[in-house]
Amino acid sequence: MALRERLSEEMKNAMKARDDLRLSAIRLIRSAVKNKDIELKRELNDQEIVEVIATLGKQRRESIRLFGEAGRRDLVEKEEKELAVLLDFLPQQLSRDEVAALVEKVITECGAQGGKDMGRVMKALTPHVAGRADGKTVSDLVREKLG
């Protein structure tokens, strides 16, 4: 089942179950996808939808961090629940060890020597980890391995 269709089905199920939080999060995803469709003047494919959802997840993580620093526990909990719903629609997330192994592999394939090659490594690595790992974690690992 295509991701767009899965979102529609999950939205219907959330409505029937009266799960307001899940319904709200799914509507957020569908709205972001529709806005991107309009921006690009075409329908997104599943990979592009995953990228949109990953961006929304990144925004939620940043909000959780900021609300935590501000001591707003109520907002942190809401954002964490929304993030959990978003993660349901992303491919299985890679562990830090799996990302590190991919980083090692790509570095050897690219023949990267030092920090100046970070852009080349990240460009080669991005298709492997898109939507499956946090970009900051990936770039930190690449910097660590090259440094």
Side-chain angles (χ1 to χ4, degrees), residues 66-119:
L66 293 173
F67 290 145
E69 290 173 2
R72 296 293 309 268
R73 192 70 207 143
D74 55 329
L75 295 174
V76 168
E77 289 173 13
K78 179 183 176 289
E79 294 291 323
E80 286 174 340
K81 289 175 183 173
E82 281 186 6
L83 180 61
V85 173
L86 294 174
L87 292 176
D88 286 347
F89 293 100
L90 290 175
Q92 181 64 39
Q93 299 295 295
L94 298 172
S95 71
R96 187 172 174 85
D97 294 336
E98 291 170 322
V99 174
L102 270 172
V103 167
E104 291 280 343
K105 179 180 163 208
V106 170
I107 287 174
T108 55
E109 286 174 1
C110 291
Q113 299 297 321
K116 64 182 178 6
D117 294 327
M118 184 168 171

